[in-house]
Amino acid sequence: MHVQEWLETVPAVAVYALVGIVIGLESLGIPLPGEIILVSSALLASQHGDIDPVVLGACATAGAIIGDSIGYAIGRKGGRPLLAWLGGKFPRHFSEAHIATAERSFQKWGMWAVFFGRFVALLRIFAGPLAGVLRMPYWKFLIANVLGGILWAGGTTAVIYYVGIVAESWLKRFSWLGLVLAVLIGLTSMLVLRRKAKKAAVTETAPAEEAVRAGSAPQG
């Protein structure tokens, strides 16, 4: 069933809870379509008065902040073995190349990687656990987490809601375009990150291969 059509069949309280839980689990480190659920719910709120956009945005923001914080705690306690375990469970999302790219982003940008990572589909999953694994000071993580969560979750809700209000009659016939746009944005960001991860993997493996060849070369 279409996501938005399904959301229309459940009460407003269930929509709030679903948005908060899905985004929270995604932020914790579990690959889930949090952005799609949020966009669908915001569009639904613009068309049905039963769903309060302020409450919806607050639930999304709370889910993002709490989920990221739990992911940080798990990452700090689990360390690198946790990343290896996640790589076995979700190889497409937690491959060694993706982890290496995300780790370099954290080392270079610090708390800004947490903040801007909220707006990138794949980094949104990494941010909490990886910040914990790398033992980023919690106060820095918390500031970036709260600001990023408010801006991403609250901003997305507000933008989609007001777009829906302005173009309500148009969106009633073509509401699926909002989901298509969200999916395309998510896929594009994931493909860009995947391409960077592949380049990074090649860059990192090349010196090792050269060292192996040099070691196996006959001595003069």
Side-chain angles (χ1 to χ4, degrees):
M1 185 182 293
H2 194 288
V3 175
Q4 192 169 349
E5 290 177 352
W6 180 80
L7 288 173
E8 290 177 353
T9 65
V10 299
V13 174
V15 175
Y16 300 146
L18 178 66
V19 168
I21 291 172
V22 171
I23 291 177
L25 291 176
E26 181 189 38
S27 301
L28 188 152
I30 300 176
L32 290 175
E35 194 166 43
I36 292 177
I37 294 295
L38 180 58
V39 168
S40 300
S41 301
L43 280 174
L44 187 63
S46 70
Q47 301 166 17
H48 298 274
D50 294 338
I51 299 178
D52 189 331
V54 176
V55 177
L56 181 66
C59 290
T61 301
I65 295 172
I66 294 172
D68 247 11
S69 296
I70 295 175
Y72 174 91
I74 293 174
R76 192 173 181 88
K77 184 175 181 180
R80 293 194 175 277
L82 173 66
L83 296 180
W85 180 83
L86 289 172
K89 293 293 183 180
F90 308 104
R92 295 187 62 183
H93 296 84
F94 289 90
S95 66
E96 291 183 5
H98 286 171
I99 292 174
T101 300
E103 186 171 354
R104 279 195 300 275
S105 298
F106 271 69
Q107 291 173 344
K108 182 177 181 180
W109 300 107
M111 61 188 295
W112 290 109
V114 177
F115 177 82
F116 289 111
R118 175 60 62 184
F119 299 88
V120 181
L122 195 58
L123 286 180
R124 193 158 52 242
I125 302 171
F126 274 107
L130 190 56
V133 170
L134 298 177
R135 296 191 173 276
M136 175 182 292
Y138 183 68
W139 68 269
K140 288 185 177 182
F141 171 80
L142 184 61
I143 291 174
N145 179 27
V146 171
L147 293 178
I150 292 174
L151 190 58
W152 174 75
T156 298
T157 302
V159 169
I160 298 300
Y161 175 78
Y162 284 111
V163 166
I165 291 294
V166 171
E168 181 176 2
S169 61
W170 187 82
L171 286 173
K172 280 184 177 179
R173 291 180 295 167
F174 303 104
S175 58
W176 56 271
L177 287 177
L179 289 179
V180 171
L181 180 60
V183 171
L184 288 177
I185 292 174
L187 287 176
T188 300
S189 60
M190 186 177 296
L191 289 173
V192 170
L193 186 63
R194 183 176 299 174
R195 185 176 179 182
K196 290 183 178 179
K198 287 181 179 179
K199 289 183 177 179
V202 171
T203 302
E204 290 180 355
T205 56
E209 292 176 354
E210 290 178 2
V212 171
R213 285 196 296 269
S216 61
Q219 301 294 324

